[in-house]
DNA sequence: CAGTTATATAACCGTCAAGGCATGCACGAG
DNA sequence: CTCGTGCATGCCTTGACGGTTATATAACTG
């Protein structure tokens, strides 16, 4: 699933979010992103090679649209993690309960571990 | 959703996948990944600051576990994209269809103008 | 106390990627 | 055929990131 790395990039996620509703040409995306056209084309190349988008040549323009495959993969990868919040939480629930009730014994004033 | 960038990294995804079933100490993760301990600790720091994992100090060990929040966010972000394959899946994706019994049907012979 | 275990942090390095500009290429218009 | 448009590619710089070794911090052990 290299598509995840492609989508993780902020600019590319903006592109993907922009393509969610309607397909776009490169110029439209350049307009939407406020970046140089080569930069956008390079991001589109990354997304293309990751299978996230596909391009259709129309006149001198390239119309880009989303491909569902990577999203399905991501959804499938995410599926087992859904148990964390949909099914009875079990162990996690106990963990949260402990955190809400009081800190663990024996380890107060621990080092800053954030979160 | 900075957690996506955190999860996108291959090593960190291995950590996350490893933590999916059972919580682990740093040493266990080092063992599982075959990397140096500082490298693992840095990845865990990134995951911690992204809210993907949380740590609990137990004796001299830190027990890491997954935090459901980012996964729920990712699920929520992914939700609108689900229309791409739950709704009329027609154009480009029948070969990946999971509920179609027979993979027959004529090929659409779409122009592969990418890759 | 000293010593060991478990983990975090610091300093450093090589690599890689994102952004810019300039250019090449394909296509349609004239 | 020539020009303009729309997009891709090549080159370059810079900043971020993953990995390592060495060191600091914290807690248990004797």
């Amino acid at each position: 699933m290299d598509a995840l790395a492609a989508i993780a990039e902020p600019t590319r996620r903006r592109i993907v979010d922009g393509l969610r509703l309607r397909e776009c040409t490169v110029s439209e995306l350049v307009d939407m992103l406020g970046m140089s056209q080569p930069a956008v084309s390079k991001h589109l190349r990354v997304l293309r090679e990751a299978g996230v988008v596909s391009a259709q040549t129309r006149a001198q323009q390239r119309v880009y649209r989303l491909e569902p495959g990577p999203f399905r993969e991501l959804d499938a990868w995410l599926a087992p993690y859904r148990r964390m919040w949909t099914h009875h939480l079990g162990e996690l629930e106990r963990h949260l309960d402990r955190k809400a009730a009081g800190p663990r014994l024996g380890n107060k004033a621990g080092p800053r571990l954030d979160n």
Side-chain angles (χ1 to χ4, degrees), chain A:
Chain A
M1 188 195 303
D2 201 8
L4 220 181
I7 296 178
E9 214 279 330
T11 301
R12 285 193 287 264
R13 207 156 57 215
R14 289 179 58 194
I15 294 179
V16 167
D17 283 330
L19 288 175
R20 181 160 59 90
L21 298 177
R22 47 196 165 277
E23 58 189 29
C24 295
T25 68
V26 178
S27 312
E28 290 173 330
L29 292 171
V30 167
D31 217 30
M32 162 199 303
L33 297 172
M35 277 173 38
S36 74
Q37 173 265 315
V40 175
S41 276
K42 281 201 286 189
H43 280 298
L44 287 170
R45 179 174 153 106
V46 173
L47 290 172
R48 239 189 304 131
E49 290 173 346
V52 178
V53 304
S54 63
Q56 171 193 349
T57 302
R58 193 170 63 188
Q60 322 147 17
Q61 324 189 13
R62 312 283 166 89
V63 182
Y64 279 85
R65 78 177 60 184
L66 291 184
E67 279 306 316
F71 296 91
R72 295 181 59 165
E73 283 184 45
L74 180 53
D75 191 64
W77 175 83
L78 192 60
Y81 293 93
R82 263 182 214 112
R83 307 188 80 248
M84 285 195 297
W85 71 87
T86 59
H87 278 334
H88 59 76
L89 306 176
E91 205 161 335
L92 171 68
E93 203 169 44
R94 294 207 312 265
H95 162 64
L96 292 177
D97 287 346
R98 280 200 308 262
K99 260 169 82 172
R104 287 282 306 156
L105 35 136
N107 170 35
K108 54 199 86 165
R112 220 34 247 139
L113 204 48
D114 85 344
N115 291 20

